[in-house]
Amino acid sequence: MTDASQTSQPTPVPHGATPVGAVRARWAWTAPEVWTERMLTALEQGVRGGRWYTLMDKVDALPTLRAAFARVKANRGAAGVDHVTVAMFEARLDANLTALAAALRDGTYRPQGIRRHWIPKGPRERRPLGMPTVRDRVVQTAVRLVLEPIFDVTFAPSSSGFRPGRGAKDALAHVDQLLRAGYGYVVDADLRAYFDTIPQAPLQALVASKISDGRVLTLVNAFLQQPIFEGLTQWRVEAGTPQGAVISPLLANLYLDPLDHAMAEAGFEMVRYADDFVILCRSAEDAARALDRVRRWTQTAGLQLHPEKTHLVDMQQPGGFDFLGYHFERSRRWPRQKSLQKLKDTVRRKTRRTNGRSLSFVIADVNRTLTGWLQYFKDSHGSFDGLDAWIRTRLRSLLRNRAGFNRAPQKDYQRWPNRFFTAQGLFSLAHAHAAARQSCVR
């Protein structure tokens, strides 16, 4: 007779087996509507031939399209050339998604044009932004949900921009770490009009190097060929990937990924966020060699370095470099001048003397801007007392105009002292920054 204690022993787990759910935990950011545990395991172990087949059935599946719409809705955004808003699309969501799935399945889906509009880039500059239709944003998001893990799994660690679980703070922390480790020579590089100049044929070849589903490749190509509408003018681009398109950041990362790996294999410490990157070196000679390698790679890749914005930096000398909104100089960093100017431009718009809103509304509106700005720049060195004083001056000017005091602006400080704005709940950048820095010290 067998001992009961022996029969209750669990079956031994084979050595090296992966616990159920462990792979999913490592890829928690992927869409469960698309990526099953089995697919994720294949993603980690590699697929036969290194290429993925039969992916279109994942793109056109209703659960994928529904998950894609949820992301489009969360990102909000305006209507495209068809004037259909997110709310209008959602009002007939089931019918719209069913129609999209059918069009994708039978090959009749065609992307519509992209509406181009302009957004401020500085006090006197603007940059173009494309706005695809809601239906196209849903399909592009579905494609990204399917393709992104396939490419991201082999992306270099030096890339942080537009990647799941990574962000600008990771890139900034990496730069800080290298500077502290003695990498005192920097290649400050700038790609000229990167998103608008990516050669499409080699980009499509990179996509095809891992994707063998011809229908998915045709879909990606169709997104690259979408016509651009600006007012009554229409044209098609022959290079680049549309800025504003959901799939563009993934494609832009994909095209620069070979550069990331080439620099790492050559022993260079490169930190990249989308098309912004710096290379940190221990000697001026290494920095010169790194810049030469980048120049040769960009020429081969059909890209251009901006001659006036690309240069070598010796961190022991005055000047420093700008990266992701910060200015780095010696062993410190603080908001770059353009970041400060952008903040001031925003505050100016919200504190115009002709503003008819109540003071409490204006302060609440300004506070939202200040808290978000500080959240990004709280790791700065120095003080923000000057910015606080400037913001209070803006508010005093608004109050003086409302009170009809056309003269003696020097008395504004007596009429509305600093404690008045503290009592009104105005957010103080200096106090919040000091508290954040003190918390970091602890």
Side-chain angles (χ1 to χ4, degrees):
M1 183 174 176
T2 304
D3 191 318
S5 63
Q6 294 177 346
T7 60
S8 63
Q9 291 295 319
T11 302
V13 177
H15 178 71
T18 302
V20 175
V23 178
R24 164 60 58 192
R26 289 195 292 272
W27 294 88
W29 60 268
T30 59
E33 296 85 356
V34 177
W35 287 91
T36 63
E37 190 95 5
R38 181 179 178 182
M39 288 178 66
L40 291 172
T41 300
L43 185 67
E44 291 191 344
Q45 296 178 354
V47 293
R48 183 177 300 175
R51 301 170 79 187
W52 289 74
Y53 298 80
T54 320
L55 292 173
M56 194 62 186
D57 62 323
K58 309 294 188 301
V59 174
D60 62 33
L62 276 173
T64 305
L65 293 174
R66 195 171 295 278
F69 173 76
R71 300 196 182 199
V72 170
K73 180 181 177 181
N75 289 332
R76 296 179 286 187
V81 294
D82 61 357
H83 306 294
V84 176
T85 65
V86 172
M88 293 165 63
F89 191 93
E90 187 177 24
R92 301 185 65 252
L93 184 61
D94 289 342
N96 285 329
L97 294 184
T98 300
L100 266 183
L104 288 166
R105 203 168 293 126
D106 62 24
T108 59
Y109 169 81
R110 297 291 183 274
Q112 296 170 287
I114 294 177
R115 180 173 64 86
R116 171 170 283 191
H117 64 114
W118 296 81
I119 60 175
K121 186 179 179 180
R124 301 178 188 85
E125 297 179 77
R126 298 186 305 162
R127 69 179 179 90
L129 185 66
M131 183 60 68
T133 61
V134 175
R135 77 189 272 276
D136 289 343
R137 299 207 297 270
V138 170
V139 177
Q140 286 193 20
T141 303
V143 172
R144 182 169 181 169
L145 292 178
V146 173
L147 297 189
E148 187 164 37
I150 295 173
F151 295 112
D152 194 86
V153 70
T154 56
F155 279 171
S158 59
S159 168
S160 297
F162 303 115
R163 294 185 61 190
R166 296 169 179 260
K169 291 296 183 74
D170 299 294
L172 291 166
H174 193 187
V175 170
D176 277 335
Q177 177 187 4
L178 291 170
L179 289 174
R180 288 195 299 269
Y183 288 77
Y185 296 86
V186 180
V187 179
D188 183 9
D190 184 274
L191 289 172
R192 173 177 275 170
Y194 172 62
F195 280 83
D196 294 331
T197 59
I198 301 174
Q200 290 186 356
L203 173 60
Q204 292 163 352
L206 282 172
V207 177
S209 68
K210 291 191 177 181
I211 308 299
S212 290
D213 191 320
R215 291 186 299 167
V216 172
L217 296 176
T218 298
L219 198 54
V220 172
N221 180 57
F223 288 135
L224 292 174
Q225 297 296 320
Q226 283 179 270
I228 308 294
F229 289 86
E230 184 174 353
L232 298 177
T233 306
Q234 173 186 346
W235 72 93
R236 290 183 184 273
V237 297
E238 297 181 357
T241 178
Q243 293 194 48
V246 178
I247 202 170
S248 289
L250 174 61
L251 297 178
N253 268 337
L254 176 61
Y255 198 70
L256 287 179
D257 185 57
L259 174 62
D260 297 335
H261 288 286
M263 298 306 290
E265 289 167 5
F268 295 116
E269 294 285 353
M270 179 166 133
V271 182
R272 182 172 69 82
Y273 186 94
D275 58 330
D276 292 334
F277 64 90
V278 290
I279 306 165
L280 292 93
C281 305
R282 291 189 180 276
S283 69
E285 293 74 20
D286 284 347
R289 287 194 303 107
L291 178 55
D292 180 66
R293 183 176 286 263
V294 171
R295 281 202 177 105
R296 286 186 280 115
W297 187 91
T298 52
Q299 288 173 359
T300 303
L303 302 173
Q304 283 188 328
L305 288 173
H306 198 297
E308 297 174 2
K309 297 181 180 180
T310 299
H311 55 282
L312 302 180
V313 176
D314 180 353
M315 294 301 288
Q316 297 302 313
Q317 303 297 323
F321 65 96
D322 294 334
F323 186 56
L324 299 183
Y326 276 91
H327 179 75
F328 290 79
E329 191 163 347
R330 303 294 172 91
S331 59
R332 301 161 69 85
R333 62 173 159 119
W334 56 85
R336 62 181 293 194
Q337 196 58 42
K338 281 190 175 180
S339 301
L340 294 171
Q341 189 61 51
K342 186 177 180 180
L343 173 65
K344 287 187 173 183
D345 289 342
T346 302
V347 173
R348 281 192 184 96
R349 287 194 298 269
K350 295 185 175 187
T351 58
R352 290 191 178 103
R353 287 183 292 177
T354 55
N355 190 320
R357 307 281 190 174
S358 67
L359 180 63
S360 60
F361 182 95
V362 172
I363 286 179
D365 195 21
V366 169
N367 282 352
R368 283 190 288 272
T369 295
L370 299 181
T371 52
W373 192 84
L374 185 67
Q375 183 61 34
Y376 186 77
F377 289 106
K378 64 183 179 182
D379 295 326
S380 301
H381 293 90
S383 170
F384 293 132
D385 291 291
L387 268 177
D388 278 347
W390 179 84
I391 293 166
R392 289 191 297 266
T393 298
R394 290 287 306 175
L395 292 171
R396 288 185 178 107
S397 179
L398 181 151
L399 291 170
R400 175 166 29 89
N401 184 69
R402 290 182 178 180
F405 298 139
N406 297 322
R407 298 181 179 179
Q410 65 274 15
K411 293 185 178 181
D412 287 352
Y413 295 91
Q414 300 171 7
R415 296 168 182 144
W416 303 287
N418 291 358
R419 62 178 179 275
F420 168 82
F421 295 106
T422 300
Q424 296 294 318
L426 179 63
F427 184 80
S428 169
L429 289 169
H431 292 167
H433 178 242
R437 297 289 292 178
Q438 187 63 33
S439 176
C440 291
V441 171
R442 293 199 190 101

